[in-house]
């Protein structure tokens, strides 16, 4: 085992997530994670009991990194809901237009584990998506829109749907179109 367990654990999580995202959960072995992290399989199992535990921890770690980024994308100081959705969908489209974009890592792993509702990675993904929706609800409450929780849920549907369709069709204009729909929903929620 290495001398710095937290750093080793982080290496495992980063390696696992990169591999899961690029190759898929079912095609990645613990051996592959260990090799990518430049560790022994024994070291990986010192930190985690199973590949399932690694996947859940990798998504939990990703959540800790992505929430601040998501909040930054939306405009952390904005109270204007039009600006919030414009910023959010614009940044999402820019991310999706990148060379290495393969959709939402949370959604990708859940799709692979669709027949395992109790899987710890599915719980981690659900927790992340709930946190995003809760944050959107709080932001929309400060914007004086009608039914901010319902509007946040509608925006979440547009986020998830547009990312999925962009991945399926290889066309990020779905994200742009979803942003336009979100803007209309915000406008209706203000009247």
């Amino acid at each position: 085992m290495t001398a710095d367990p937290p750093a080793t654990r982080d290496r495992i999580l980063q390696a696992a997530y990169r591999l899961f995202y690029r190759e898929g959960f079912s095609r990645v072995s613990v051996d592959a994670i260990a090799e990518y992290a430049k560790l022994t399989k024994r070291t990986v199992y010192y930190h985690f009991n199973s590949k399932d535990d690694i996947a859940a921890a990798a998504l939990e770690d990703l959540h800790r990194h992505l929430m601040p980024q998501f909040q930054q994308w939306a405009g952390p100081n904005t109270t204007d809901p039009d600006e919030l959705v414009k910023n959010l969908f614009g940044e999402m489209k820019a991310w999706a237009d990148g060379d290495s974009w393969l959709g939402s890592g949370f959604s990708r792993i859940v799709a692979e584990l669709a027949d395992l509702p109790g899987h710890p990675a599915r719980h981690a993904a659900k927790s992340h998506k709930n946190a995003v929706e809760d944050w959107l609800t709080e932001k929309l409450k400060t914007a004086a829109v009608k039914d901010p929780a319902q509007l946040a849920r509608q925006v979440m549907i547009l986020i998830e749907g547009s990312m999925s369709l962009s991945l399926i069709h290889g066309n990020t204009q779905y994200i742009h179109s979803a942003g336009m729909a979100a803007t209309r929903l915000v406008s209706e929620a203000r009247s």
Side-chain angles (χ1 to χ4, degrees):
M1 187 169 105
T2 65
D4 188 1
T8 301
R9 188 177 194 281
D10 288 345
R11 280 174 51 196
I12 295 165
L13 294 177
Q14 290 170 15
Y17 182 74
R18 284 186 183 118
L19 290 171
F20 292 152
Y21 186 74
R22 189 177 66 223
E23 298 176 22
F25 175 77
S26 62
R27 294 188 304 194
V28 174
S29 67
V30 174
D31 288 321
I33 294 167
E35 181 180 335
Y36 194 89
K38 296 182 175 42
L39 299 167
T40 65
K41 187 174 175 179
R42 180 180 174 152
T43 301
V44 173
Y45 277 118
Y46 174 83
H47 291 274
F48 298 97
N49 292 326
S50 66
K51 184 171 97 167
D52 295 340
D53 290 343
I54 296 169
L59 291 182
E60 290 163 359
D61 188 58
L62 181 64
H63 167 75
R64 283 188 290 279
H65 296 292
L66 283 185
M67 276 307 290
Q69 179 182 10
F70 183 83
Q71 293 164 353
Q72 188 67 36
W73 281 2
N77 300 319
T78 186
T79 56
D80 178 6
D82 291 317
E83 185 179 335
L84 183 143
V85 296
K86 179 183 173 196
N87 292 345
L88 181 59
F89 283 91
E91 291 291 339
M92 283 175 43
K93 186 174 180 320
W95 170 52
D97 282 334
D99 292 336
S100 60
W101 187 77
L102 297 171
S104 163
F106 293 95
S107 299
R108 285 172 52 88
I109 200 165
V110 167
E112 280 193 74
L113 302 169
D115 62 333
L116 300 170
H119 195 283
R122 287 196 56 183
H123 291 293
K126 180 180 178 181
S127 178
H128 168 73
K129 299 298 182 177
N130 283 339
V132 171
E133 188 173 331
D134 291 346
W135 181 84
L136 278 171
T137 299
E138 291 305 311
K139 285 294 279 187
L140 292 169
K141 280 181 184 176
T142 64
V145 296
K146 290 185 279 185
D147 201 353
Q150 181 63 23
L151 181 57
R153 178 153 296 172
Q154 292 169 339
V155 171
M156 284 297 295
I157 291 167
L158 290 168
I159 289 169
E160 292 300 314
S162 66
M163 283 195 295
S164 294
L165 289 169
S166 291
L167 183 61
I168 290 166
H169 293 287
N171 181 349
T172 60
Q173 287 302 311
Y174 284 93
I175 296 171
H176 175 74
S177 295
M180 291 170 41
T183 300
R184 281 195 295 276
L185 288 170
V186 165
S187 178
E188 290 173 10
R190 290 177 133 173
S191 46

